[in-house]
Amino acid sequence: MKLTSVERWERLYMQSPLDTMPVVLFDNLVSAKLIDRTYLESEADATLLLEKLLKSYQTFKADSVSLNYSMSEINQVLGGESKVTHPNTSRSIVAYPAQALEDVAALPELALETLPVTLRLRQAIEHFLNETHGEVPVRLHFRGPFSMVAGLIESEKILRGMRRDPEGLHAALAYTTQLATQLVECFSDLAPIIYNISDPVASGSLISHKQYEAFAFPYTQQLVETLHQQNQRVHLHICGNTERALPLIQQTGVDAFSMDQVVDVAKAFEMTDHQLLLMGNVDPVKFFLEGTPEEIKQEVERIAQAAKDAKGTLILAPGCDLPYDTPIEQIQAFMEAARACS
């Protein structure tokens, strides 16, 4: 039985027999190198976006390809500013459209469907799905509601607002939840897409468990429920140590959770009672960027064995985005080892 990537994902969600487990690369940055472009060059043109998607799939044959909906472009449309700090990373936000939490909720509604970033991504995704006959899903990364607020106002004001102005923060989160929902609706006629919520500011390394439960969790759960009502598949990634939050992450209803490399695989299965599909978590710097093919092979085998010992189902993947300078042979070594373990 030889399945397409789309069939593999759907059978996995339904807990049906598979030919092999899906393998994931968070390849949005490094795929630009495959077409001899900087990351920012590849993001500025729909033709280059398509070219890097196709090249990544042809080179690595992972079970999805990745694109990112840039928060900096939303920030700029609303009156903020961003700048280039390095051509091979995302633009950095340097000024915000909101100065206080109440300003976030008062920001205007956006016609996201008309923004250049939306049009570029739509064109690239549509052509990629046509070229691959809809057999390989595109993984569209975008900020979750909590981290999206941090693209509209300084993070320090969010952290302070959790203590001093919770009502103002909830109002801001209602705005960004609607914005995230609208973002997905811009692509809802295209399939297959996996919507990958990235919520780095909700990390257990930055906020407490109680703060996650009060401010990040309910809006993520609301967004996931809305997307499931539209028959969309939703994954979630949160940087840092999320072990304590895992039961709440499970309650959000996401179809899979991508773990940072600091999370212990066995502990993650224990915390979720084996009821949450987990993904991860090879260190993208230590093993992909700086390791050797043999070291990455050993790490893949170690993680796969940890999942097996815990009697858990694990999708092998990096613990976060692969850096632009990741050696191609390291990615190929990962793919070979992951397929062998799957």
Side-chain angles (χ1 to χ4, degrees), residues 30-230:
V30 71
S31 61
K33 184 167 68 171
L34 295 174
I35 61 171
D36 298 318
R37 297 285 185 162
T38 68
Y39 171 67
L40 291 180
E41 285 174 341
S42 76
E43 291 289 293
D45 181 86
T47 302
L48 295 178
L49 285 171
L50 172 62
E51 186 179 348
K52 76 174 183 176
L53 289 178
L54 290 169
K55 189 68 173 180
S56 180
Y57 178 64
Q58 292 161 359
T59 303
F60 304 122
K61 290 292 192 292
D63 287 291
S64 62
V65 292
S66 298
L67 286 178
N68 179 57
Y69 196 108
S70 172
M71 184 65 208
S72 66
E73 300 207 33
I74 295 176
N75 165 282
Q76 287 178 264
V77 170
L78 288 168
E81 294 180 21
S82 65
K83 70 175 183 179
V84 176
T85 54
H86 193 283
N88 292 324
T89 59
S90 299
R91 295 176 65 93
S92 298
I93 293 173
V94 295
Y96 298 85
Q99 301 307 309
L101 284 173
E102 60 263 27
D103 297 337
V104 176
L107 289 170
E109 292 185 10
L110 290 179
L112 289 181
E113 68 276 8
T114 67
L115 296 189
V117 59
T118 304
L119 299 176
R120 290 195 306 272
L121 290 171
R122 271 192 61 89
Q123 182 179 338
I125 292 171
E126 186 170 10
H127 284 293
F128 175 82
L129 296 177
N130 287 335
E131 290 275 351
T132 56
H133 310 290
E135 295 181 352
V136 184
V138 174
R139 181 178 297 276
L140 182 60
H141 297 249
F142 64 99
R143 286 201 190 187
F146 191 77
S147 294
M148 197 175 277
V149 175
L152 303 175
I153 188 172
E154 293 178 61
S155 297
E156 292 79 4
K157 294 179 180 179
I158 299 171
L159 299 176
R160 189 163 59 245
M162 288 190 285
R163 301 188 305 273
R164 299 181 182 177
D165 187 15
E167 290 185 3
L169 181 51
H170 281 298
L173 285 160
Y175 175 84
T176 55
T177 302
Q178 179 55 41
L179 196 60
T181 301
Q182 184 188 353
L183 185 157
V184 171
E185 288 173 351
C186 293
F187 302 89
S188 61
D189 61 316
L190 301 177
I193 294 178
I194 297 171
Y195 293 94
N196 201 107
I197 300 171
S198 301
D199 217 355
V201 186
S203 170
S205 305
L206 295 176
I207 64 175
S208 71
H209 179 69
K210 287 185 178 180
Q211 289 170 331
Y212 179 82
E213 183 174 18
F215 297 103
F217 162 71
Y219 296 96
T220 302
Q221 184 182 50
Q222 180 183 331
L223 178 60
V224 171
E225 288 177 353
T226 299
L227 300 191
H228 279 168
Q229 289 168 4
Q230 300 173 9

Side-chain angles (χ1 to χ4, degrees), residues 15 243 246-247 250 265-278 310-313:
Q15 300 182 341
E243 288 177 7
L246 280 167
Q250 181 179 342
V265 170
K267 182 70 171 178
F269 283 116
E270 177 186 337
M271 293 294 291
T272 58
D273 197 27
H274 296 77
Q275 298 303 305
L276 177 62
L277 183 58
L278 297 175
K311 297 180 171 58
T313 301

Side-chain angles (χ1 to χ4, degrees), residues 13-28:
Y13 297 137
M14 301 301 293
Q15 300 182 341
S16 299
L18 297 172
D19 56 345
T20 184
M21 283 289 290
V23 178
V24 169
L25 292 173
F26 299 128
D27 57 339
N28 182 48

